[in-house]
Amino acid sequence: MTPSRTTLRAAIGTVSAAVLATTVLAGAPAASGAAAHTDRTAAATGSAVKFVDITGDGGVTLKANVFTPAGADGTRRFPVIVLPTSWAMPQIEYMAQAKKLADAGYVVIGYNVRGFWQSGGKIETAGPQDIADASKVIDWALAHTPADPQKVGMGGVSYGAGISLLASAQDRRIKAVAALSGWADLIGSIYSGRTQHLQAGAMLGAAGALTGRPSAELQGVLKDFLGSNLAKEKDMIAWGRKRSPATYLDKINANGAAVMLGNAWGDSLFPPNQYADFFEKLKGPKRLEFRPGDHATAEATGLFGLPNDTWTSTKRWFDHYLKGADNGIDRESPVQLKSRSTGAYEGYRSWQDVPSAHRSIPLGGTHRTATNLDSGADGGLIFLSSMLDQFLKAPPMASIPLLPRSLAAVWQSDRYAAQQHIRGTARLHTTLTSTAESGTAIAYLYDVGPLGVGKLVTHAPFTFHGKAPNRPFGVDLDLFSTAYDVPAGHRLAVVVDTVDPLYIAHNPHGAALTFSSPAADPSYMSVPVRD
């Protein structure tokens, strides 16, 4: 007999709970068992954990675990931190960090967001009901734990990060936020350059279907998104903006929560650009941290209780802005970058201060490329490629001399006499002529060694619709932000082709793209560097 999806969810939940919980607590109940019983308590060293049901918006049951500091005898109140789970993750996701925080004097509530695992309701994708749920959890904490109503924090990874930022716009009680591997602009993340991020969208849809109950609205959006239904594009964009913290920036600034943002350079779901743009517009206390890796990999070891820089910063952030600890985090450079090449940290006063200069690579001549055939240049695979870069410094590679010029436009810089410290966002400017009214191209920047092997520095896609065939138009494209060092003696190569497994392309059969550099408007790649 083939097991049902519900049975599979329960089985996965049990295994996940057993693996994670045994790294955190001796004798803590597994997730599936814990979710089936209310108010079970397990003893922990120094702190105590209780598994509870919390009533969310509209009466939906949210499965949660509550850590209470040792010595909480009702005579004093403690700062409280609320941690919504990541997309498709069980409720025990944060138990290792929750225990550490509770041992340090916090009440900590981790809860499974609606629609996933044993929590009720449907997946609303950080919609209004999810934000109302966050406030309901805070209400519950203030009524049932020794939580201090003046010292409320929220945080989380991925989905939990997005919900925390959105909640900070609607609930003035939230004084501090740590949003790790999240999004500020949902459309700018998975539809950047007006291009569907195929692997990202498909993965999110599949994970949601396996571990939760997608709402009819989410199913419709995913169908239109992956099916390239342009008739629904405006509706899809409106749906995404409603779920983007950037839409509520004025409210977030007015409420004044201290916001820490953390992300990875190679995040396959939420590229770093959109976080950097959001950070610059925040008015209150703020911090931005970028590290090598892919989606949530910078925080992953901390979920198992292992030493982790991101979680260390998170605790310091909460300690200062909820407890008032004078730990110096407010006096440090608010932008902290970890280089993909050296692994060293660098501090800056703002995102705009990251590059000190720009190197321009001329994109001269005229290059005509056929479409719908892969040249061999691509951005790799979600999760795998950026993890290889994170741990082995092995990003996607291509032999630049062997790339077929009929399928890819290629330009190269001169060899650099000195090391080039790329920091920030590279920008492409070119003139494009298409034989069709729609099309897609992907721009790549490679570090090319003496043998012609290019290591991917960064890339980004762009798509156009409604253009007059055979009439040139300008293209300006921001590539995904990064921190990468090009060795002395190497070149940079700019490659533009029309096929990448990460994205959905919109090139009609038989179409061709021509890249040119008019004298009155020369084409170039602007590369940000730190001298």
Side-chain angles (χ1 to χ4, degrees):
M1 179 181 295
T2 301
S4 67
R5 188 178 66 183
T6 301
T7 302
L8 286 172
R9 263 202 314 267
I12 294 171
T14 302
V15 173
S16 299
V19 172
L20 284 175
T22 53
T23 69
V24 185
L25 301 169
S32 59
H37 298 83
T38 303
D39 293 336
R40 287 182 61 183
T41 302
T45 303
S47 56
V49 61
K50 180 184 292 186
F51 291 81
V52 302
D53 290 348
I54 297 176
T55 301
D57 187 57
V60 164
T61 297
L62 304 173
K63 296 293 182 176
N65 52 74
V66 183
F67 280 80
T68 306
D73 56 6
T75 61
R76 56 173 293 201
R77 291 191 175 273
F78 300 86
V80 59
I81 298 173
V82 175
L83 303 172
T85 52
S86 303
W87 187 271
M89 288 294 287
Q91 73 177 92
I92 45 79
E93 176 184 10
Y94 302 114
M95 288 186 73
Q97 290 301 322
K99 181 185 181 305
K100 288 185 176 184
L101 289 166
D103 287 346
Y106 292 92
V107 173
V108 187
I109 302 178
Y111 73 95
N112 236 130
V113 292
R114 66 169 56 222
F116 284 104
W117 299 97
Q118 289 87 1
S119 284
K122 300 291 183 71
I123 302 173
E124 302 296 338
T125 323
Q129 290 173 300
D130 290 301
I131 310 313
D133 285 344
S135 290
K136 291 286 189 181
V137 173
I138 294 172
D139 292 342
W140 185 93
L142 298 181
H144 296 88
T145 74
D148 188 335
Q150 304 301 317
K151 299 177 180 180
V152 177
M154 278 196 73
V157 176
S158 186
Y159 197 40
I163 290 175
S164 296
L165 282 174
L166 287 162
S168 72
Q170 307 300 333
D171 196 322
R172 290 179 175 272
R173 295 174 295 182
I174 299 170
K175 304 302 182 185
V177 172
L180 314 177
S181 289
W183 74 92
D185 181 351
L186 189 57
I187 296 300
S189 295
I190 62 174
Y191 195 52
S192 69
R194 208 179 176 186
T195 307
Q196 296 101 319
H197 292 213
L198 171 62
Q199 292 183 18
M203 187 284 298
L204 289 170
L210 179 62
T211 62
R213 299 164 300 282
S215 66
E217 183 181 32
L218 173 58
Q219 294 180 62
V221 168
L222 280 173
K223 180 180 178 180
D224 292 332
F225 179 80
L226 297 174
S228 300
N229 185 356
L230 288 177
K232 294 289 187 179
E233 183 182 39
K234 290 184 178 179
D235 293 340
M236 180 191 70
I237 290 173
W239 177 88
R241 285 178 176 164
K242 189 176 184 179
R243 291 159 169 80
S244 295
T247 301
Y248 311 100
L249 179 66
D250 289 345
K251 289 186 176 181
I252 293 173
N253 284 333
N255 289 347
V259 176
M260 172 182 152
L261 306 172
N263 206 352
W265 294 119
D267 195 312
S268 298
L269 304 185
F270 309 126
N273 300 45
Q274 45 91 35
Y275 248 14
D277 292 343
F278 182 70
F279 169 82
E280 286 293 273
K281 297 172 185 175
L282 288 171
K283 302 299 184 184
K286 59 184 179 178
R287 185 177 177 92
L288 178 68
E289 299 185 351
F290 284 151
R291 296 179 173 85
D294 207 305
H295 185 66
T297 63
E299 302 87 30
T301 56
L303 295 177
F304 292 90
L306 300 175
N308 181 276
D309 289 355
T310 305
W311 285 103
T312 297
S313 290
T314 296
K315 182 179 180 298
R316 294 179 66 221
W317 192 252
F318 285 135
D319 283 351
H320 181 75
Y321 288 102
L322 295 183
K323 285 186 173 182
D326 185 15
N327 56 19
I329 197 167
D330 57 319
R331 297 188 294 275
E332 296 171 359
S333 297
V335 176
Q336 295 288 322
L337 310 183
K338 188 175 184 180
S339 168
R340 289 168 52 198
S341 302
T342 67
Y345 282 99
E346 303 166 0
Y348 301 93
R349 292 175 300 174
S350 72
W351 177 250
Q352 296 300 320
D353 287 336
V354 171
S356 58
H358 288 80
R359 305 275 188 267
S360 183
I361 302 173
L363 309 181
T366 300
H367 301 259
R368 181 182 174 91
T369 63
T371 62
N372 297 320
L373 292 173
D374 195 341
S375 72
D378 64 56
L381 299 172
I382 61 169
F383 305 145
L384 177 61
S385 295
S386 290
M387 288 177 67
L388 289 173
D389 182 42
Q390 177 183 4
F391 296 110
L392 302 177
K393 292 184 171 54
M397 300 183 190
S399 175
I400 304 304
L402 296 181
L403 292 176
R405 273 29 179 194
S406 62
L407 302 178
V410 181
W411 302 265
Q412 294 193 73
S413 72
D414 294 329
R415 287 189 177 90
Y416 293 106
Q419 189 177 59
Q420 302 295 299
H421 305 280
I422 299 177
R423 299 291 186 273
T425 306
R427 293 182 173 88
L428 171 76
H429 174 75
T430 190
T431 295
L432 173 60
T433 304
S434 173
T435 59
E437 62 89 25
S438 291
T440 297
I442 305 93
Y444 308 91
L445 185 64
Y446 283 98
D447 162 22
V448 185
L451 299 179
V453 175
K455 294 183 177 181
L456 187 64
V457 177
T458 181
H459 79 286
F462 68 92
T463 294
F464 58 89
H465 297 289
K467 297 296 184 181
N470 301 311
R471 181 174 297 177
F473 60 94
V475 172
D476 290 285
L477 176 69
D478 284 357
L479 278 63
F480 300 140
S481 304
T482 195
Y484 181 96
D485 295 339
V486 179
H490 284 212
R491 304 173 186 264
L492 284 172
V494 179
V495 178
V496 184
D497 72 1
T498 65
V499 174
D500 192 305
L502 289 171
Y503 309 108
I504 293 176
H506 293 263
N507 298 299
H509 179 70
L513 303 181
T514 299
F515 301 91
S516 60
S517 182
D521 186 19
S523 297
Y524 59 87
M525 175 72 80
S526 176
V527 181
V529 294
R530 188 74 190 181
D531 290 325

